[in-house]
Each structure stands twice: as structure tokens, then as C-alpha cells.
Amino acid sequence: MNHARVLGFAGWSGSGKTTLITRLIPVIAQRGLRVATLKHAHHAFDVDQPGKDSYRHRQAGASEILVTSSRRWVLMHELRGAHEPSFEEQIRRLSPCDVLFVEGFKFAPIAKLEVWRAETGEGLLHPNDPHIVAVASDAKVETKLPLLNLNDPAAIEAFIVKHLGLA
């Protein structure tokens, strides 16, 4: 793996994983570190817009479309019925980075911060996932793991910096 530090964010939909990650990325990047993210979607999604050339190429049946400009490039790969690549295969596709935040791979065998809110109506993941290293919540949670206040981003940032060895 070409990623020195990997941390997953696990939790049910609506728990605040994306909000937390988008708060943490600039903090880690300000340390001069290269941050990448790997996000798994459990539903169909589209990064392309109908009518754009790349969309038309994909709709016509292209298996890969590389869109490039002076500001960014995106490689889209259509599975066209093939199996979804494994978590390990997806990580290998990423460029080297200093920190990789992973969102949405609940069952990946990596260290994870569980983000939990009671209003999701779902139970905690951590009693059944030995890879969860801490819980971030806006409620009192019974756990032997470190409990981080979801409304205190500085405390969460401090935990992650320490956990990833960035201090």
C-alpha cells in the first residue's frame, strides 16, 4: 500500500461522516501533508452530466473515459456487469499520499472512527467491529473506546493527529 496513514470513518447514513471528513481535510493538509479520500457509494451515482462529451462516450459503451484539463483529471471506469473491485484493489488505484481517509467501507479491515448519532435510528457498529478505535457522537454512548464529542472538532482532530502519528 502506498499510503502511510489510513483511517476509515464508519457510520450509518446521516451520521455526519462527510461533514467531519471535510472539516478534517484542511487541518491535515495545513500540516503540509497530502490527503486523499476513498468514498464508497452504496447506490448508483454519476460524476458526469447528461449532454457532456464524456457522458455521451460512456453512454455509447466506452469502458473507460479519461477527462483531463489543466486543472484536474478524472478516470471513469464502467463495470458493465463485472464485479465491484475489492477494497484493496481500489486503494491500489490511488496515487501515493500521506493520509488516506476512507468513508463508506464499513467492513474494511482498517482502523476506523465510528461516527454515531441517535437520530439515525441505528445501533452502534463498534461492538461488532474490532477495527473501530474510537466513537465520535453528539450523545452519551456506553463504550470502552475513546468517546469523542462530535460537536468538538478540535478534540477529534487532536485524537486523529495522535492516532495517525502526525504530532
Side-chain angles (χ1 to χ4, degrees):
M1 186 183 315
N2 43 346
H3 312 289
R5 298 167 183 103
V6 178
L7 181 64
F9 293 78
W12 300 102
S13 180
S15 62
K17 298 179 302 294
T18 301
T19 299
L20 180 57
I21 290 169
T22 57
R23 281 189 204 154
L24 293 168
I25 291 169
V27 171
I28 303 301
Q30 285 173 355
R31 295 173 169 270
L33 299 172
R34 218 171 131 147
V35 181
T37 62
L38 175 57
K39 164 79 172 122
H40 186 266
H42 293 284
H43 46 59
F45 69 95
D46 215 334
V47 294
D48 215 358
Q49 299 297 317
K52 295 292 185 182
D53 293 347
S54 55
Y55 182 90
R56 293 174 61 204
H57 294 177
R58 192 164 46 89
Q59 292 302 312
S63 61
E64 282 194 339
I65 302 94
L66 179 67
V67 182
T68 184
S69 75
S70 62
R71 294 181 183 255
R72 70 186 57 90
W73 64 269
V74 175
L75 176 62
M76 289 180 284
H77 182 92
E78 285 292 316
L79 292 175
R80 305 249 182 246
H83 289 289
E84 179 178 353
S86 70
F87 174 72
E88 292 77 15
E89 288 174 284
Q90 296 293 13
I91 284 185
R92 285 193 297 267
R93 295 176 194 277
L94 292 170
S95 298
C97 62
D98 300 306
V99 175
L100 174 61
F101 287 151
V102 177
E103 180 184 352
F105 287 87
K106 275 191 201 95
F107 305 108
I110 58 171
K112 290 178 238 121
L113 173 68
E114 179 171 359
V115 182
W116 186 82
R117 290 183 192 270
E119 54 266 20
T120 66
E122 301 286 352
L124 289 160
L125 298 170
H126 86 277
N128 301 312
D129 185 343
H131 300 290
I132 294 176
V133 297
V135 176
S137 179
D138 58 356
K140 178 70 177 135
V141 174
E142 289 298 320
T143 179
K144 290 182 171 43
L145 297 175
L147 179 60
L148 308 169
N149 184 340
L150 204 48
N151 297 316
D152 185 359
I156 296 172
E157 293 160 13
F159 174 84
I160 289 173
V161 164
K162 183 177 179 185
H163 178 78
L164 293 177
L166 303 173

